[in-house]
Amino acid sequence: MKAAMKRSNAPIFWGLFGAGGMLAALFGPVLVFITGIAVPLGLILPADAMSWPRMQAFAQHWAGKGFLFAIIALFLWHAAHRICHSLHDLGVHAGAATRLACYGSAALGTLLAAGALWAVGF
Amino acid sequence: MSETGKNGKVIRIEVLRYRPEQDREPFLQSYDVPFTDDMSVLQGLQYIKDRLDGTLSFRWSCRMAICGSCGMMIDGEPCLACKTFLRDFPAGAVRVEALAHFPIERDLVIRMDDFLAKLESIKPWIVPKEERTLAQGEYLQTPAQLDVYEQFSSCINCLLCYAACPQYGLNPDFVGPGIMALLHRYNADSRDGAAAERMEVAGSEAGAFNCTAVGYCSEVCPKHVDPANAVNQNKTRAAGDYFLRLVRPKGGAK
Ligand code: SF4
Ligand code: FES
């Protein structure tokens, strides 16, 4: 039993998972509604709510950048952690490979999001 | 079976048998047991042992849900045999097996060495925050301070929560729900000062973070201890300790 008494690094991933979960609960449904239902069907919101110039301006503003980055990165970390644990439940135990695949994709997605937000300029 | 209970009812009890010196693997054996509506599953097993088959082994003591000895799987659910009644199985049959996730010692008796080793590791006693002399009197506590941990002190070490926990089933290194509840019982006690030492367990790779918030442990707990809540509170505490030690290096796990 003593061998297992190493301090766990889980708080890092659990923290990201928790933060992502909270954002997903707060913004997930409304984002699905806006991007998937309201705008495409022209309900409630004006049809050009997500037009290119508007979205570009949004992504160029520091607050919009921050929002997009947090939403994309934390949703990814949340999903990665959830998938990693669900695989464990299904009998695919969290070895280095599973962890790398799950958290690696989240890290990659985070970098891509940061790069893209940087590239759209300020 | 010609004999019947006062109400003429008979139930078929299927019991998982395993006698290591003669059985290669566990198998189910059925007994027809006459019963009355006030009889528990434990009383059914006692009927078997006294009248039908003296070789059957199982643990029990208090027969009133307080000693925690009679935990077993009853129709696949972790239950106390003395708190589960034969009348509640209207199909006329019930299956009784040793508690899941533990090695079987014999028939319905499991080995609890793993649990006891873990129990010792969390210092399950109050480590006084400040030593007091006899002359200074008792360690006083307000009702509000009692409220914080009282529920967690009701644990009777019955291990039902371990049989319910899929994560303990997958990884027996996990200290498990019951131990986390007991660890929390002492940490949350205003008189105790050993929370930092116990963090070595709670924040370790065997600790709180093995839990995936299934919550079945709290559902099966016969004493309403809510071990899932204790695990959750300790995830937050362990995370706090993990990040805080970076700015305030002392205590906790290595
Ligand atoms: S927490 Fe409940 S189910 Fe678990 S060992 Fe204690 S009394 Fe039994
Ligand atoms: S015999 Fe004591 S709890 Fe069932």
Side-chain angles (χ1 to χ4, degrees):
Chain A
M1 228 204 121
K2 269 288 160 208
M5 284 302 140
K6 236 176 84 214
R7 187 192 271 276
S8 164
N9 288 315
I12 299 174
F13 302 102
W14 181 75
L16 289 165
F17 165 78
M22 191 156 81
L23 280 190
L26 285 173
F27 295 110
V30 79
L31 279 176
V32 169
F33 178 73
I34 295 172
T35 61
I37 300 170
V39 171
L41 298 183
L43 294 171
I44 307 172
L45 293 171
D48 70 336
M50 287 185 69
S51 65
W52 173 256
R54 275 171 173 262
M55 290 317 289
Q56 191 184 32
F58 184 67
Q60 282 175 338
H61 191 272
W62 65 266
K65 259 193 216 312
F67 178 78
L68 289 171
F69 180 70
I71 287 282
I72 295 168
L74 292 174
F75 274 37
L76 282 172
W77 286 99
H78 179 81
H81 190 73
R82 172 59 74 210
I83 291 169
C84 202
H85 276 283
S86 302
L87 284 174
H88 177 72
D89 289 344
L90 295 175
V92 185
H93 299 307
T98 331
R99 288 215 177 94
L100 190 71
C102 293
Y103 299 121
S105 339
L108 189 69
T110 304
L111 287 177
L112 287 176
L117 286 166
W118 185 263
V120 292
F122 293 84
Chain B
M1 214 41 248
S2 55
E3 195 181 354
T4 54
K6 280 191 219 79
N7 57 359
K9 287 200 264 191
V10 176
I11 189 167
R12 169 154 299 194
I13 306 187
E14 271 190 304
V15 187
L16 191 75
R17 302 295 313 269
Y18 177 63
R19 293 149 301 178
E21 72 285 355
Q22 65 184 97
D23 303 327
R24 282 195 40 235
E25 51 189 45
F27 65 98
L28 286 169
Q29 187 168 356
S30 298
Y31 302 93
D32 290 324
V33 175
F35 74 102
T36 47
D37 281 346
D38 57 353
M39 271 172 73
S40 63
V41 172
L42 177 64
Q43 282 172 292
L45 294 174
Q46 287 169 325
Y47 183 94
I48 297 173
K49 188 165 178 80
D50 295 345
R51 314 266 199 111
L52 308 177
D53 184 349
T55 68
L56 181 64
S57 302
F58 51 95
R59 279 198 187 107
W60 64 279
S61 174
C62 71
R63 54 199 209 302
M64 49 195 286
I66 198 64
C67 73
S69 326
C70 69
M72 39 193 91
M73 305 303 286
I74 300 182
D75 270 358
E77 274 180 42
C79 297
L80 293 180
C82 67
K83 201 172 178 265
T84 309
F85 288 86
L86 290 172
R87 61 170 184 262
D88 293 329
F89 301 90
V94 60
R95 198 176 68 250
V96 182
E97 297 156 293
L99 219 40
H101 303 158
F102 290 95
I104 299 178
E105 170 107 35
R106 187 181 187 84
D107 294 338
L108 300 172
V109 178
I110 50 109
R111 294 191 66 101
M112 54 191 303
D113 309 46
D114 176 58
F115 176 80
L116 292 174
K118 287 171 179 167
L119 184 60
E120 245 180 81
S121 78
I122 57 152
K123 297 190 167 63
W125 57 83
I126 293 171
V127 180
K129 197 183 276 166
E130 42 178 295
E131 287 297 342
R132 289 168 73 92
T133 62
L134 264 185
Q136 284 174 294
E138 312 89 327
Y139 292 85
L140 293 177
Q141 202 162 46
T142 66
Q145 287 171 324
L146 173 68
D147 256 8
V148 179
Y149 72 83
E150 193 180 18
Q151 144 201 15
F152 302 105
S153 72
S154 309
C155 173
I156 57 173
N157 302 1
C158 67
L159 308 189
L160 297 192
C161 52
Y162 284 78
C165 176
Q167 296 306 335
Y168 180 69
L170 287 168
N171 172 20
D173 279 341
F174 173 30
V175 293
I179 290 292
M180 290 304 299
L182 286 161
L183 174 145
H184 193 67
R185 177 255 172 275
Y186 294 100
N187 281 354
D189 192 310
S190 59
R191 299 163 295 183
D192 181 271
E197 290 164 55
R198 295 191 194 97
M199 188 53 81
E200 205 173 312
V201 178
S204 76
E205 288 186 346
F209 291 104
N210 285 277
C211 164
T212 51
V214 174
Y216 191 31
C217 52
S218 294
E219 258 177 63
V220 303
C221 175
K223 307 307 282 185
H224 307 291
V225 170
D226 199 356
N229 176 279
V231 181
N232 251 321
Q233 291 198 48
N234 279 283
K235 280 185 191 170
T236 316
R237 285 179 183 218
D241 185 73
Y242 183 90
F243 293 112
L244 274 179
R245 106 207 119 117
L246 304 173
V247 291
R248 169 186 55 81
K250 74 164 173 90
K254 306 288 175 305

